[in-house]
Amino acid sequence: MSVLVYAETENGTFRKNAFEVASYASQLAASLGVEAVAVAINADHPEALGAYGIGRVLQVSEDRLKTFNARATAAVLKQAVSQAGARIVVTSSSTDAKYAASILAGLLKAGYVNNVVSLPEPGESLVVRRTAFSNKAFAYTELLGDVSIIGVSNNAFGVVENPVNAAAEAFAPALADADFGVKPVSVDKASDKVTIADAEIVVSGGRGLKGPENWGMIEELAGVLGAATACSKPVSDLGWRPHSEHVGQTGKPVASNLYIAIGISGAIQHLAGVNASKTKVVINTDPEAPFFKAADYGVVGDAFQVVPELIEKLKEFKAQNG
Amino acid sequence: MKILVCISNVPDTTSKINFTADQTAFDTTGVQYVINPNDEFGLTRAMWMKEKQGALVHVATVGGPAVEPTLRKALAIGADEGIRIDAEPTDGLFVARQLAEVVKNGGYDLVIAGRESIDYNGGMVPGMMAAMLEMNFVNTCISLEVDGDKATAIREIDGGRETLETRLPLIIGGQKGLVEESDLRIPNMRGIMMARQKKLTVVPALDAAHGSRDLRFEKPAPRGPVKLVDADNLDELIELLHKEAKVI
Ligand SMILES: Cc1cc2nc3c(=O)[nH]c(=O)nc-3n(C[C@H](O)[C@H](O)[C@H](O)COP(=O)(O)OP(=O)(O)OC[C@H]3O[C@@H](n4cnc5c(N)ncnc54)[C@H](O)[C@@H]3O)c2cc1C
Ligand SMILES: Nc1ncnc2c1ncn2[C@@H]1O[C@H](COP(=O)(O)O)[C@@H](O)[C@H]1O
């Protein structure tokens, strides 16, 4: 019996969420008194997971997985579950992890819950707390069956250092041609930008910014904070920003530490997608904007004045605080 | 081409979320149900395939009799036939197994489901179905073109998009982008009249395993009032974010 964790990589390096799910898995394994085992695909330094309490890494080297492939990843994980005798699989809530985990759940006939925000409650059965109803509520969900999959909500648990020695062992699962039935052709992605899924801080703009030409200051603010940029739905519908930046109930979920909403009214469908963020700041000219009721800090003011000034002040702050 | 659109029946996006007094179930009092938005985009995409490529479009929902108005709405929008699998949709694994059976028996070439249901946010049914049926699967799908048995899809990835090629039979987990908001259709009178005549088959559920069970629900703790900072005093905001919230 063990807890297996899928530690995602990109170009040989672990993604930030890999360390968070590794931390979660090693604490879960410790509480159950079992081993935490990671699966790492094409990782240059699998032993890096040792810093987060993972003592054993199944290291997969597979050229066909240099680009992500969900079904093949699910096939790898399924075989790793047998290899490690795992009863619980832990994954992140990244787009890729959710994609692969849903297939894995079908292959294993396993219960799967995502958006999980805490470790299971102590007890006989496996009960986790997760967000549901688009962040408007929490559900306590019991996982049934022989194997269960827990998808940890981004930033919900945090990265917890707990250094141990990680032993990497080569693991060569069998993959069939059918596992590669969906073929990646091309990727369109800004490689130098923080993604919403990985970001600790997200700077988001709404229709109050009037037009795409005004996004320079949003990008700059994000740059100063090392943040990802996001937007409200109408902004992506109007083509001011790419669809991948649309957040909310019908867009991407945001679970950052800090969410800064600029010129966004705070419609219920928008809030549904961003309420999981820990601290929310609103900048809006209208003191009656509903977002003020959902925010921690607010500035009633014109974005075109507030944002440039905030950028300058943050630069000074960063210069002093490193 | 034979298409199945899987429709999840969900509370309207503006619904207030409340639970029964013992916190064990969603309180449906006064709640309007709608076609899950992610599925509505997929249904509209299927309508285009019906109109341009002569596809036959069926819609299926796992649920009790109360979901029939939602299925009728899908028929009024233009789907040819409806299937209701008569069982409470308690969890994703159970629902996926029911739908997989419909897919297997119906010989569908393309199954359009949504990325997630906006109520329980499972995000699992289409992937589970794909695994059970050993079908190709594209999740978070924002564009789909089918030509013969070849399909080109675009999926949303964190920070961008990825173009994929695959073959039918195929399952997608769709979302906005498959069609735009402005392309969505409101059923007209004629559609509503015609929907009444369309076939809506009720099939009994299979005995299938459950993967999870929601034991109880809880609403987030009410938050304190927003702290307003003067627009002329942004240093205070930075101070609060640094010292109080500790996020910068
Ligand atoms: C089924 C459904 C699903 C939806 N899903 C989503 C979703 O996932 N995500 C989403 O975002 N929306 C979603 N919506 C849309 C949502 O209802 C709102 O229409 C949308 O969020 C509004 O976007 P906005 O706040 O950018 O624009 P607006 O509502 O137009 O608000 C603009 C705000 O900017 C402020 N403003 C104007 N000028 C300035 C200035 N100079 N400086 C500062 N502030 C200024 C205004 O006071 C106003 O509050 C959905 C709607 C439906 C029906
Ligand atoms: N009860 C159901 N009946 C039919 N389809 C469903 C049902 N539940 C989920 N689905 C489909 O699966 C998708 C993802 O749902 P979920 O896994 O519940 O988030 C939905 O968008 C639907 O297409």
Side-chain angles (χ1 to χ4, degrees):
Chain A
M1 155 85 179
S2 68
V3 173
L4 187 78
V5 55
Y6 171 40
E8 284 165 83
T9 52
E10 191 165 351
N11 302 323
T13 319
F14 286 113
R15 291 174 70 164
K16 201 193 95 204
N17 65 36
F19 299 139
E20 184 173 20
V21 290
S23 306
Y24 183 100
S26 65
Q27 291 207 12
L28 173 56
S31 75
L32 298 170
V34 301
E35 186 187 29
V37 183
V39 181
I41 300 173
N42 297 326
D44 295 339
H45 300 288
E47 67 285 354
L49 295 170
Y52 311 97
I54 300 292
R56 181 174 166 208
V57 185
L58 303 180
Q59 185 181 12
V60 179
S61 305
E62 171 61 67
D63 279 348
R64 290 178 291 177
L65 283 173
K66 289 248 153 86
T67 357
F68 175 78
N69 183 302
R71 180 159 162 191
T73 300
V76 168
L77 292 173
K78 182 184 176 200
Q79 293 169 65
V81 164
S82 312
Q83 175 80 12
R87 296 285 301 278
I88 300 173
V89 181
V90 178
T91 70
S92 81
S93 289
S94 74
T95 301
D96 287 354
K98 282 182 169 173
Y99 185 6
S102 65
I103 302 174
L104 178 66
L107 292 175
L108 294 170
K109 309 278 184 292
Y112 168 41
V113 279
N114 64 37
N115 306 322
V116 170
V117 293
S118 56
L119 283 169
E121 299 181 325
E124 281 293 296
S125 55
L126 191 59
V127 179
V128 289
R129 185 172 193 252
R130 64 187 200 91
T131 58
F133 293 94
S134 305
N135 292 313
K136 287 179 227 165
F138 294 101
Y140 289 84
T141 304
E142 179 182 10
L143 285 151
L144 312 164
D146 297 338
V147 185
S148 301
I149 307 173
I150 296 177
V152 182
S153 178
N154 294 327
N155 284 322
F157 191 72
V159 170
V160 184
E161 292 197 24
N162 169 27
V164 298
N165 269 331
E169 63 193 73
F171 178 57
L175 295 172
D177 282 347
D179 292 326
F180 297 90
V182 176
K183 295 183 181 56
V185 181
S186 62
V187 168
D188 177 6
K189 174 177 170 178
S191 55
D192 54 338
K193 287 186 64 178
V194 192
T195 65
I196 293 168
D198 278 342
E200 283 175 30
I201 302 181
V202 173
V203 176
S204 188
R207 200 148 52 179
L209 290 169
K210 316 278 190 280
E213 65 283 3
N214 296 324
W215 244 262
M217 63 183 188
I218 300 293
E219 302 260 2
E220 193 179 351
L221 179 57
V224 177
L225 290 167
T229 51
C231 66
S232 68
K233 178 164 163 292
V235 165
S236 74
D237 286 346
L238 289 161
W240 297 357
R241 299 296 291 177
H243 277 306
S244 57
E245 286 196 4
H246 156 204
V247 298
Q249 189 160 28
T250 52
K252 280 216 162 60
V254 181
S256 54
N257 288 332
L258 173 60
Y259 183 73
I260 306 182
I262 303 166
I264 299 177
S265 58
I268 190 163
Q269 299 93 351
H270 185 84
L271 295 178
V274 305
N275 265 342
S277 289
K278 294 194 185 93
T279 300
K280 291 180 278 294
V281 174
V282 175
I283 301 169
N284 196 307
T285 40
D286 175 9
E288 301 295 320
F291 216 137
F292 283 109
K293 291 205 175 62
D296 303 282
Y297 305 105
V299 180
V300 178
D302 183 347
F304 296 97
Q305 277 157 21
V306 174
V307 176
E309 201 182 317
L310 186 60
I311 292 170
E312 288 319 308
K313 296 211 182 269
L314 277 168
K315 281 185 183 159
E316 285 167 31
F317 170 83
K318 290 278 172 186
Q320 282 164 22
N321 293 270
Chain B
M1 181 166 41
K2 210 173 156 189
I3 304 176
L4 183 72
V5 183
C6 300
I7 300 224
S8 154
N9 179 54
V10 300
D12 169 52
T13 56
T14 57
S15 303
K16 291 265 177 296
I17 303 301
N18 290 309
F19 300 100
T20 54
D22 62 358
Q23 303 287 303
T24 58
F26 177 62
D27 181 358
T28 56
T29 316
V31 170
Q32 272 289 90
Y33 277 81
V34 296
I35 300 175
N36 183 38
N38 290 316
D39 306 344
E40 198 176 352
F41 293 114
L43 177 63
T44 310
R45 186 70 193 83
M47 287 300 105
W48 293 2
M49 291 177 163
K50 176 179 154 94
E51 285 151 19
K52 298 204 188 91
Q53 293 169 284
L56 187 70
V57 180
H58 291 179
V59 288
T61 299
V62 179
V67 307
E68 286 193 7
T70 299
L71 272 180
R72 287 275 175 216
K73 184 179 171 196
L75 295 175
I77 288 171
D80 298 294
E81 235 181 272
I83 301 160
R84 177 169 74 79
I85 301 97
D86 189 25
E88 275 313 303
T90 48
D91 68 285
L93 191 67
F94 177 81
V95 168
R97 180 68 188 83
Q98 307 302 332
L99 292 169
E101 192 67 15
V102 170
V103 173
K104 202 164 67 188
N105 297 336
Y108 296 96
D109 307 292
L110 175 64
V111 179
I112 301 183
R115 174 195 72 180
E116 71 170 16
S117 305
I118 62 161
D119 49 1
Y120 294 92
N121 306 121
M124 63 180 102
V125 167
M128 286 173 166
M129 259 195 287
M132 292 169 182
L133 293 160
E134 297 189 32
M135 274 165 76
N136 291 324
F137 169 50
V138 175
N139 205 16
T140 56
C141 185
I142 52 173
S143 160
L144 178 68
E145 295 299 333
V146 174
D147 180 11
D149 80 331
K150 283 207 204 106
T152 306
I154 302 178
R155 78 168 173 117
E156 193 163 280
I157 57 175
D158 292 325
R161 39 169 56 206
E162 179 180 46
T163 304
L164 305 154
E165 276 172 10
T166 187
R167 283 179 188 279
L168 304 185
L170 170 70
I171 298 186
I172 65 160
Q175 61 183 61
K176 191 189 79 165
L178 273 181
V179 304
E180 291 308 321
E181 186 88 34
S182 51
D183 301 319
L184 296 179
R185 298 175 179 190
I186 298 161
N188 56 23
M189 218 19 165
R190 195 178 122 81
I192 295 168
M193 299 302 285
M194 279 170 63
R196 291 194 189 142
Q197 316 299 323
K198 287 182 182 168
K199 193 163 149 197
L200 199 166
T201 314
V202 179
V203 300
L206 293 175
D207 195 14
H210 295 277
S212 61
R213 174 164 64 193
D214 289 325
L215 302 179
R216 61 182 197 280
F217 299 92
E218 175 182 287
K219 295 228 272 184
R223 58 171 52 247
V226 61
K227 275 192 192 167
L228 288 181
V229 174
D230 205 86
D232 299 326
N233 193 8
L234 294 176
D235 288 320
E236 189 191 339
L237 178 64
I238 293 173
E239 177 87 3
L240 285 167
L241 292 177
H242 182 54
K243 297 241 169 82
E244 190 176 81
K246 300 194 171 61
V247 287
I248 60 170

